[in-house]
Amino acid sequence: MIKRILKITAWGVGGFIGFVGLYMGLAYVLSRMSVEREQTTEATIPVYIKTNGVHTDIVVPVHTDVIDWSKQITYANTKGKDTTAEYLGMGWGDKGFYLETPTWADLTAKTAFKAMFGLSTTAIHATFHNTLTENDSCKKILLSKQQYIRLVTYIRNDLQTDSAGNVRNIVTNANYGLHDAFYEAHGTYSLFHTCNTWANNALKSCGQKACVWTPFDTGIFYQYK
């Protein structure tokens, strides 16, 4: 009986190690394979990709003739209510991570398990910025109007709305600072569709350079070295 238990345990541990190795290997290889940028001569709208070291945001102008984001992602939903901010960063992710895990020390096994295996809901974290500085963690991209329309459509399709068409703000005290808020989102987070996968797909949606697939921010920023 003991030998049988040890054998089953060994198979389980071996299978887990093999899965992790395969996952990391695929993540590395596919994140180094590029989806090339569309060619355009009319790229004038500035968009940024910004990482905090783990999670990638897509940062867009608050006001353009394509959309005024402040009419839906309102300044009033932030603690600071600073109406001078000119840029809006948005990132999609697991709602439990966003609202229940202010630091890695607060991460519970339950939250991690539900996130990895697509068992919880999702949210979009929106952060207003007054200025952005280009560096290794923040890269500027120029889009044409048509490309930006496609990016806007991609983001708006993942924002939940009420019967009146207004995005659904999550009322919470889990804000990260004075200039951010959370919104209900569509979709399911998992090991294979992470916050960075979402950002990478956002780049694909508007014809920008991207990875074939990546669960990590490092894959995206590898393409923009």
Side-chain angles (χ1 to χ4, degrees):
M1 178 63 72
I2 293 176
K3 287 183 177 180
R4 188 174 183 181
I5 293 172
L6 290 173
K7 186 176 181 179
I8 293 172
T9 301
W11 274 104
V13 171
F16 176 76
I17 293 172
F19 172 78
V20 171
L22 179 61
Y23 179 84
M24 297 300 291
L26 286 173
Y28 180 85
V29 171
L30 295 179
S31 68
R32 268 56 183 175
M33 296 172 64
S34 302
V35 175
E36 292 302 322
R37 180 176 180 268
E38 289 178 359
Q39 297 302 312
T40 178
T41 59
E42 302 176 353
T44 59
I45 300 175
V47 169
Y48 296 80
I49 50 172
K50 189 175 188 301
T51 180
N52 63 4
V54 176
H55 169 92
T56 306
D57 275 359
I58 303 295
V59 187
V60 297
V62 175
H63 311 287
T64 64
D65 60 356
V66 173
I67 187 172
D68 183 347
W69 285 104
S70 67
K71 292 183 178 179
Q72 288 282 296
I73 311 293
T74 65
Y75 298 110
N77 287 337
T78 67
K79 291 180 179 179
K81 298 177 173 55
D82 180 5
T83 60
T84 66
E86 297 182 358
Y87 293 95
L88 175 65
M90 287 176 280
W92 175 95
D94 179 79
K95 188 175 177 181
F97 263 110
Y98 275 142
L99 303 184
E100 301 167 16
T101 314
T103 68
W104 286 109
D106 298 301
L107 180 63
T108 65
K110 180 181 178 181
T111 298
F113 182 86
K114 289 174 68 176
M116 287 190 296
F117 297 102
L119 300 176
S120 62
T121 55
T122 54
I124 282 181
H125 181 230
T127 307
F128 287 103
H129 300 274
N130 285 301
T131 59
L132 290 164
T133 301
E134 289 186 78
N135 52 40
D136 289 343
S137 299
C138 184
K139 301 292 185 179
K140 183 179 180 179
I141 305 165
L142 293 176
L143 305 187
S144 70
K145 183 175 181 178
Q146 290 304 314
Q147 288 172 333
Y148 187 54
I149 288 171
R150 282 151 50 192
L151 177 62
V152 169
T153 300
Y154 174 85
I155 295 171
R156 292 185 69 175
N157 283 345
D158 278 338
L159 282 163
Q160 285 192 27
T161 55
D162 60 22
S163 58
N166 299 310
V167 297
R168 297 178 58 199
N169 174 231
I170 300 171
V171 180
T172 177
N173 292 320
N175 304 68
Y176 295 175
L178 296 177
H179 309 292
D180 66 309
F182 295 94
Y183 296 85
E184 300 284 2
H186 295 293
T188 302
Y189 185 101
S190 72
L191 282 169
F192 302 99
H193 188 73
T194 70
C195 52
N196 297 301
T197 310
W198 181 87
N200 188 61
N201 288 343
L203 294 171
K204 290 180 182 179
S205 76
C206 57
Q208 301 308 298
K209 193 170 186 180
C211 311
V212 170
W213 173 74
T214 183
F216 305 121
D217 64 329
T218 51
I220 295 172
F221 282 81
Y222 173 83
Q223 302 295 337
Y224 286 85
K225 283 186 177 180

